[in-house]
Structure formats: structure tokens, C-alpha cells
Amino acid sequence: MTIIEDQQAKYLIKSLQHHPSPYLIFCKDGGVEWMNQSAQYVFDTSAIDDIAIAPIISHGTSKKIEAIGSSFQSDLELSLREIKFLLRSRVHEIPLDKEESFFLIEVLAQSEAALEALKNTISCLENDRIDMAYQKQYDLASGDLVSVETLLRLRDEKGDIIPNDKLIPLVEGESLFSLVVLASMQKLKEVFAFKKERKLDFTVYLNVSAYTAMQENFCKIILDFVEENDLKSGDLGLEITETAELEDRSRAADYFEKLKSHGIPLALDDFGAGYSSLSYLRDLPISLVKLDKDFSRTVSEQDTQELVKFVVSICKNMELDMLAEGIETIEQQETFLKLGCNNGQGYYHHRPQFLEEFKEEF
Ligand code: C2E
Ligand code: MG
Ligand code: MG
């Protein structure tokens, strides 16, 4: 008899079939036996064997199974068709009788939007709907190109772009997101090949969230990429976002020092907004400070101007480059120049473009 034929399990299945959270039943002898509708939707499964879970080590239960069962939180290793990733879940070990039990797995997600983002990310990875757009960063006085920021562009099934702000914050803490980072780095190879072929001199910045940067193998992945693509010092740079998640700053500083010593500069993104605090300038080997877009929006106001001047003086004293993001008008550009901020980026000068279009400008 399989688990799902058991009378007790049948009740459970019935109650969870339409539950908004994804649930799966995993049997101790291996294999997924059942998924609720939400799990089928998120993983887009038509067959139960699309999905496999690495054996679960239960922490709670001893040989004798308690009647009330037990539960624990765990990162399960999941194989979904061709991709493998860790999945944050709560595992409930449910007794059937004195000898037998099974695992009910509840996929942990903060919200319905987070589940939707998970589903979209899986779908983009499996269907290669991951691309990059390129936006120029320039010297405000001369208009010369100094660097380029790469921006993720994920598409839904209809081919429409999924806004980054709606997806990235919801999935970047998941191990699945590192697969997106790897896929986006594959795309970057083309821009480096173009740069080399045309002997162009600018830094290509990749956005990395603190979650990604703090992963064990991050440094190695970046350094291998530099080697494989024969990149020179200053070819690749990193923009770090969501620094609130940089729990271990000294470890982060070690990673970025190492990368810097290999010619990979670090930019602090969205400075002055959210969690991007002053102390990062002291603790991390930052080369470039990117002032958050919000400063451009309000740069005609006296208070904002005072704040910009304050950051300009810090950057001067610490010998850091500074760049204003989100410049949309000539007035904003001129104000930043007047305040002493020499670099900028924004729709006024250049809108993010896909590679083919971007190449045509050289
Ligand atoms: P960000 O790194 O601060 O990127 C700047 C965002 O501002 C981009 O939005 C860009 O298209 C937009 N932008 C550029 N110029 C202007 C302007 O003049 N006005 C306005 N209103 N917006 C402008 P996008 O591409 O939607 O990206 C949003 C955020 O998503 C990024 O903010 C970054 O935090 C994250 N992101 C983008 N690509 C990646 C990536 O490859 N990896 C990771 N981890 N995060 C990424
Ligand atoms: Mg950025
Ligand atoms: Mg930014």
C-alpha cells in the first residue's frame, strides 16, 4: 500500500489539496508521492516524477514514532527536471502507526507574490528567458563613457519583461537565484567578447545582492569567470545591493578585497537609501559610490543638495569615485556637476539596451 492510500493520509491530502502553500508528500523509501495544487502550479509539473527530493534526515524522531509527529525546518535538495536547487521548507514527520511514518513537506514562502516569483524564476531558467540589458555610465562634464551597468531582464511566457523590483527582492534570498546569476554571467560573455574585439575600455558592472556575494563559492565563480574569459583588470566590476544581508562584514570585506586584488572594483549601489549605510564605506573596499535614484528626483531641493554635498566631500576625502543614478533631465545633470558629483547614469543620457542595439552605438 502506498502512503496516499492510507485512510489517515487521505484526510490530510483532502484538507491540503487546495491550501495556498505548496505541500508535497515524501516517503521514507524515496520519491514524491503526492503534491497539492499549489505545488503543481509553482513547479509546473504534469507528472509526479518531474520532481525528486534528496533523502531527508529527520532530526526529531527516534525509532519509536510519537503519535503527534514532529516537524523541523530544513533546506531540502530538490531536482526539478533538469535543474537542482535547495528549497526552504518545513518538514512534518507524520506517523501512520507505530512503525511507519512519512514526511509532509511544506514549501516556505513569505507570500503569494513570493510563490509567483519562484514559479517565474523556475520557468525563466528552464526556458532560457534570461537576458541582460546594458546602461551606460558616463562622465557628466565630457559625456564620455566610463562604465556600463548590466541589468537583468527576465521575460514571462508571453515575452513581456517581468519588472526586476517585483521579482528579485522576493527570490534573491533563495538558492535558486544563484542559477539566475550563473545564467546572466553566461550572457555577459558576449559583451566581453565584443569589448575585446573592438578594444573598448570600460568597466562592465554586474549587480550582486549581498545574499549572492556571501555564498561560499561566489569568489571562486567570479575569479574562474575572469580567467575563462581572459578579462583584464577593470573589465568586470560588481555593484553590491541589499547590504542589510551582509551579516558577516569582515568575511564580506575579505571576499571583496580578494576580488579587488584581482582587478574587480566594487561599487556600493543605492547609497543613501534603505540599508546602504555610511559604515560600509569604512568596512568594505569600495571604489565607487552610487547615489540612489531618489537623490536625482529631488536634487532641485535645497535639503537634497546639502546631502549630495556631504557625500561628495566624504568621497573626496576617502578618494572614492561617485556617481548619480536616475538622471532624467539636463537640469538634474547640471546640478550634480555643480555640486561636485562627476559621474552619472540615467534615461537623460542613455536608456538600458539589449546587446544588439547597444553594440550598434560603437
Ligand atoms: P539598480 O541596480 O539601482 O539599477 C538601476 C535601476 O534604475 C534599473 O532598473 C534601471 O533600469 C533604472 N534606471 C536607470 N536609469 C533610470 C532613470 O533615469 N530613471 C529611472 N526612474 N530609472 C532608471 P531595473 O533594471 O528595473 O533594476 C532594478 C533593480 O533590480 C536594480 O537596481 C538592482 O537592484 C536589481 N537588479 C537588476 N539587475 C540585477 C542583476 O543582474 N542581479 C541582481 N542581483 N539584481 C539586479
Ligand atoms: Mg545597480
Ligand atoms: Mg541603484
Side-chain angles (χ1 to χ4, degrees):
M1 184 180 80
T2 62
I3 297 297
I4 54 173
E5 282 161 4
D6 179 88
Q7 195 56 37
Q8 225 179 305
K10 271 186 183 162
Y11 288 128
L12 189 69
I13 284 169
K14 204 169 170 203
S15 67
L16 292 175
Q17 185 63 19
H18 302 286
H19 195 287
S21 298
Y23 279 94
L24 302 97
I25 285 181
F26 180 78
C27 296
K28 284 188 156 172
D29 51 4
V32 173
E33 268 207 20
W34 171 86
M35 277 184 264
N36 72 351
Q37 285 191 334
S38 175
Q40 288 174 36
Y41 174 72
V42 171
F43 300 121
D44 194 18
T45 48
S46 48
I48 202 97
D49 52 10
D50 275 358
I51 207 162
I53 295 173
I56 298 170
I57 319 280
S58 82
H59 313 290
T61 13
S62 58
K63 269 192 198 123
K64 188 175 170 301
I65 297 157
E66 302 295 336
I68 49 168
S70 65
S71 73
F72 54 93
Q73 211 161 304
S74 178
D75 281 343
L76 298 182
E77 198 184 310
L78 187 119
S79 307
L80 178 67
R81 296 175 288 267
E82 300 295 313
I83 57 175
K84 262 199 176 94
F85 52 95
L86 296 176
L87 189 71
R88 281 185 312 118
S89 42
R90 175 164 292 282
V91 181
H92 306 268
E93 185 168 9
I94 303 200
L96 282 173
D97 53 45
K98 289 270 181 255
E99 260 88 63
E100 233 188 320
S101 70
F102 65 93
F103 292 118
L104 176 71
I105 296 161
E106 178 188 354
V107 176
L108 295 178
Q110 311 143 326
S111 60
E112 207 183 314
L115 282 179
E116 195 64 32
L118 195 63
K119 176 187 169 66
N120 279 331
T121 308
I122 291 170
S123 166
C124 286
L125 279 164
E126 290 195 312
N127 299 292
D128 191 21
R129 279 193 257 100
I130 297 177
D131 206 346
M132 296 303 259
Y134 301 85
Q135 188 180 29
K136 293 177 180 172
Q137 302 177 328
Y138 56 103
D139 179 311
L140 290 178
S142 65
D144 290 345
L145 170 68
V146 286
S147 41
V148 167
E149 178 175 9
T150 62
L151 296 158
L152 196 62
R153 293 290 177 261
L154 301 179
R155 288 182 193 279
D156 64 18
E157 293 105 65
K158 285 185 251 147
D160 297 329
I161 303 280
I162 306 168
N164 281 334
D165 294 334
K166 287 218 172 110
L167 186 136
I168 296 174
L170 294 171
V171 289
E172 67 189 348
E174 304 287 339
S175 99
L176 181 70
F177 195 70
S178 55
L179 299 180
V180 176
V181 177
L182 291 177
S184 63
M185 286 172 71
Q186 289 304 311
K187 305 284 167 186
L188 288 196
K189 289 182 170 186
E190 293 174 51
V191 79
F192 286 115
F194 174 70
K195 227 167 84 68
K196 196 172 188 180
E197 180 198 316
R198 303 284 291 270
K199 298 192 171 61
L200 300 169
D201 184 24
F202 54 78
T203 302
V204 177
Y205 280 98
L206 173 71
N207 284 286
V208 287
S209 72
Y211 302 98
T212 304
M214 292 316 285
Q215 301 208 349
E216 220 45 66
N217 51 0
F218 174 72
C219 246
K220 186 176 180 328
I221 288 173
I222 296 288
L223 293 177
D224 286 351
F225 181 82
V226 164
E227 201 182 312
E228 278 160 25
N229 293 279
D230 190 25
L231 302 188
K232 304 283 172 271
S233 179
D235 273 345
L236 173 69
L238 300 173
E239 285 191 11
I240 180 113
T241 54
E242 291 303 326
T243 36
E245 299 305 322
L246 278 184
E247 279 161 8
D248 187 348
R249 271 201 218 188
S250 68
R251 189 158 66 96
D254 288 348
Y255 282 4
F256 288 118
E257 278 298 352
K258 189 168 178 200
L259 293 169
K260 191 179 173 183
S261 72
H262 283 82
I264 302 163
L266 178 67
L268 184 58
D269 208 350
D270 303 338
F271 186 70
Y275 299 104
S276 187
S277 93
L278 274 177
S279 56
Y280 289 105
L281 299 180
R282 179 196 60 205
D283 298 341
L284 298 177
I286 302 215
S287 305
L288 171 70
V289 172
K290 295 189 71 183
L291 210 52
D292 187 69
K293 282 201 284 290
D294 201 51
F295 287 87
S296 293
R297 199 177 51 80
T298 58
V299 78
S300 61
E301 296 167 18
Q302 190 60 37
D303 288 352
T304 298
Q305 293 186 7
E306 292 304 324
L307 290 172
V308 174
K309 276 195 258 179
F310 172 64
V311 182
V312 165
S313 79
I314 294 171
C315 289
K316 266 208 182 104
N317 290 333
M318 297 183 76
E319 297 180 4
L320 306 173
D321 288 325
M322 181 178 165
L323 180 146
E325 280 191 309
I327 299 180
E328 295 183 355
T329 66
I330 186 158
E331 290 80 14
Q332 290 169 345
Q333 169 155 319
E334 280 168 358
T335 313
F336 277 117
L337 253 182
K338 197 180 74 195
L339 296 170
C341 172
N342 298 326
N343 301 297
Q345 173 183 4
Y347 297 161
Y348 171 66
H349 188 77
H350 187 250
R351 281 189 180 257
Q353 286 174 320
F354 288 109
L355 190 61
E356 287 316 307
E357 249 182 306
F358 177 76
K359 279 182 179 172
E360 282 167 18
E361 293 183 359
F362 291 91

